[in-house]
Amino acid sequence: MLDVYSLELGFYALLAFVLLAVKIYAFVSSLMFSAESYEAAGKLTKPTWTILLGLGVALQVLFLNNPIGIFNLIFTIAAIVYLVDVRPAMAGLRRR
C-alpha cells in the first residue's frame, strides 16, 4: 500500500533526476560552442557559463537528497537561462 511518504519520496526522486538531466544537458551544450561565439552573442564568457553550469551539476550530484534546496534552485535557474537565452543566441550565429 502506498502512503503519502512514499509518494513524496518518489516525486522528489523524479524531480531530482529531471533537474540533473537539464543541468547536464546545459553543461554539455555550453562546451560545444567556441569562446568567440559567446562574445559575438554578447553573453557572459564561455569559462563563466561552463563553471556556473558545471558547479550546478557537481553540487546536485554531491547533495542529491535535496532537489528543492536553495543552491539547487539557483543553479537550475542558471541552466534554464542558458538554455532559453544563451544557447539560441549562439545557435543563431552558427546558422548565418
Side-chain angles (χ1 to χ4, degrees):
M1 184 168 136
L2 288 174
D3 59 346
V4 175
Y5 181 72
S6 297
L7 288 174
E8 182 181 5
L9 188 62
F11 175 74
Y12 277 140
L14 179 64
L15 182 63
F17 178 75
V18 169
L19 294 180
L20 182 62
V22 167
K23 289 178 193 154
I24 290 173
Y25 179 73
F27 176 67
V28 171
S29 175
S30 74
L31 296 173
M32 297 297 175
F33 292 99
S34 68
E36 292 82 22
S37 297
Y38 287 89
E39 292 174 15
K43 305 300 178 184
L44 292 175
T45 63
K46 181 176 182 169
T48 303
W49 277 112
T50 305
I51 290 169
L52 189 65
L53 296 171
L55 235 139
V57 171
L59 283 177
Q60 184 167 353
V61 168
L62 292 175
F63 304 109
L64 190 61
N65 58 353
N66 191 4
I68 58 171
I70 188 70
F71 291 114
N72 199 358
L73 291 177
I74 289 170
F75 287 114
T76 300
I77 290 169
I80 291 170
V81 166
Y82 174 82
L83 291 173
V84 172
D85 182 41
V86 178
R87 187 173 184 272
M90 291 186 302
L93 293 174
R94 189 176 277 180
R95 280 186 244 136
R96 293 180 188 165

